[in-house]
Amino acid sequence: MAITPRPGIMSIAPYVGGESNLPGQNRIIKLASNESPLGPSPRAIEAYRALAGDLHRYPDGGAVSLREAIARHHALEPSRIVCGAGSDELIGLLVRAYAGPGDEVLYSRHGFLMYPIAAQSVGATPVTAPERNLTADVDALLARVTPRTRILFLANPNNPTGSYLPSAEVKRLRDRLAPDVLLALDAAYAEYVTRPDYDAGASLVESHDNVVMLRTFSKIYGLAALRMGWAYCPPAVADVLNRVRGPFNTGAAAQAAAVAALEDRAHTEKARAHNDRWLPWFSRQVEALGLIPHPSLCNFILVQFPEATGGAEKALAFLNGRGIIPRRMAGYGLPDYLRFTIGTAEEMEATVAALREFTGREPETGGSR
């Protein structure tokens, strides 16, 4: 073929999302994509539907109303906020703006797969740092920084491990970084965290000119289908992102639904309370079955399947045969693990029942209701 892509493009392993369907299965329990089991706020649905008659109109390219709503909700400066089609787009924009051939993009060993994909797409080299107990290690990250490092991505809490770094450790990381390295704090799951030693990163953004915080409406707000995310940036970085993003990169319906979702604090709290109940319940149940759950602050949990239990691949096939879809973790270098989104009460009970059948062991008693 005469037309060829830029060198390096064909070496990118495409991102593969969680599966949604299984051949021969009519009832599916999808626990592979960390989607909200409660769905979006009714107010967000109403706001989305209200724009059905205006689909011929371009959206507000600056997402002004949404940026102002985000700023009110989080006590931030609207001029520092840049909206994107999910935080995925913003990851790509940051790499496109600040890295290229000969540069390095650093992240922890089991960090989000979009970091290396974005790096390779611009000809930069992805570099990983080892983790400690499936948790990002500040010293290991700093040891991997070189004069070629342009961006350091830290997912906090991290997907797929569910682990986090306390704010003091994140600050230590920032303080020891060279001023020409951009620290991108990916806080997609921040709304689920209630630990007093956690901070999503806004204070670091406001006090330093090389820190960006990334957020999303896809998780606790239940708007994954609309692809809406945002970044909180130093003014100079916000200016750069606004120069490289598309003029209408977020849709009008997505903007309106996101504003409504922010306003419905009761629905957000309901989603958080649901997770606070079922995450520890599911963790206890799988541990009683001889499996190894990794501590998580997110709306999912990473579970190790020791060989004595049959292993992760056999467990995956068994669960799929019963219409249950967890996330395979081999692509993250964790072949012995499966990741389970926290679903509805009925979905979690059905999953535990299937795992009990797979392991041949009984979970703890006492009821879930």
Side-chain angles (χ1 to χ4, degrees):
M1 184 176 178
I3 301 174
T4 58
R6 187 181 53 74
I9 293 296
M10 297 309 295
S11 65
I12 297 174
Y15 183 85
V16 179
E19 296 180 355
S20 299
N21 298 291
L22 294 170
Q25 296 289 342
N26 295 322
R27 179 176 180 270
I28 298 295
I29 296 177
K30 183 185 177 186
L31 305 178
S33 299
N34 303 338
E35 297 154 336
S36 169
L38 305 188
S41 159
R43 294 189 196 178
I45 295 173
E46 182 180 354
Y48 175 82
R49 288 174 173 164
L51 286 174
D54 294 320
L55 299 184
H56 57 301
R57 304 294 185 191
Y58 282 102
D60 172 12
V64 173
S65 294
L66 175 56
R67 290 191 295 109
E68 291 177 345
I70 293 170
R72 287 193 303 271
H73 189 86
H74 295 283
L76 304 175
E77 298 179 30
S79 63
R80 291 171 171 253
I81 298 170
V82 179
C83 295
S87 53
D88 290 346
E89 183 191 21
L90 295 162
I91 290 167
L93 290 176
L94 286 171
V95 172
R96 178 176 152 201
Y98 291 100
D103 296 329
E104 295 175 348
V105 173
L106 178 61
Y107 61 104
S108 63
R109 171 67 181 88
H110 302 297
F112 188 33
L113 286 179
M114 285 306 300
Y115 306 149
I117 289 175
Q120 289 175 288
S121 74
V122 299
T125 301
V127 177
T128 62
E131 298 180 354
R132 181 177 300 181
N133 298 324
L134 298 182
T135 303
D137 184 324
V138 169
D139 294 314
L141 285 164
L142 290 169
R144 293 298 193 276
V145 175
T146 75
R148 298 171 59 192
T149 307
R150 299 273 66 83
I151 305 175
L152 193 167
F153 281 104
L154 176 67
N156 196 35
N158 184 57
N159 172 28
T161 61
S163 58
Y164 84 111
L165 288 182
S167 56
E169 278 293 276
V170 178
K171 183 179 184 302
R172 184 167 73 90
L173 174 64
R174 208 302 319 177
D175 288 346
R176 293 183 59 185
L177 276 182
D180 61 348
V181 177
L182 180 65
L183 175 60
L185 301 174
D186 187 348
Y189 297 90
E191 287 82 5
Y192 290 103
V193 186
T194 57
R195 296 285 181 92
D197 63 347
Y198 173 79
D199 184 87
S203 59
L204 283 179
V205 173
E206 292 177 344
S207 58
H208 300 87
D209 60 7
N210 66 333
V211 183
V212 171
M213 177 181 68
L214 302 174
R215 304 290 285 269
T216 184
F217 283 90
S218 297
K219 304 306 177 186
I220 204 168
Y221 295 111
L223 298 179
L226 296 184
R227 310 308 302 125
M228 178 58 71
W230 56 281
Y232 192 52
C233 316
V237 176
D239 176 59
V240 168
L241 293 182
N242 282 319
R243 291 171 186 270
V244 297
R245 69 173 176 83
F248 303 105
N249 63 323
T250 62
Q255 293 178 27
V259 170
L262 285 172
E263 294 172 346
D264 194 349
R265 293 176 183 265
H267 186 80
T268 305
E269 183 53 42
K270 183 179 178 182
R272 186 182 298 110
H274 176 90
N275 198 66
D276 288 345
R277 178 173 188 174
W278 288 97
L279 176 68
W281 179 85
F282 185 70
S283 179
R284 292 193 304 269
Q285 297 295 314
V286 298
E287 187 172 26
L289 294 175
L291 308 176
I292 305 173
H294 187 72
S296 174
L297 297 186
C298 303
N299 68 331
F300 60 81
I301 190 162
L302 188 68
V303 179
Q304 185 178 14
F305 287 75
E307 197 59 38
T309 68
E313 286 301 311
K314 288 184 179 179
L316 179 66
F318 185 90
L319 293 169
N320 285 174
R322 283 148 182 78
I324 302 169
I325 311 177
R327 186 75 148 89
R328 177 186 280 111
M329 287 287 102
Y332 281 91
L334 297 165
D336 299 330
Y337 292 79
L338 297 177
R339 192 192 67 197
F340 294 82
T341 303
I342 301 304
T344 65
E346 292 75 18
E347 289 172 338
M348 302 320 293
E349 289 172 338
T351 301
V352 166
L355 289 172
R356 181 174 67 244
E357 185 180 356
F358 172 72
T359 61
R361 298 177 62 173
E362 290 293 326
E364 79 172 25
T365 59
S368 57
R369 300 294 184 175

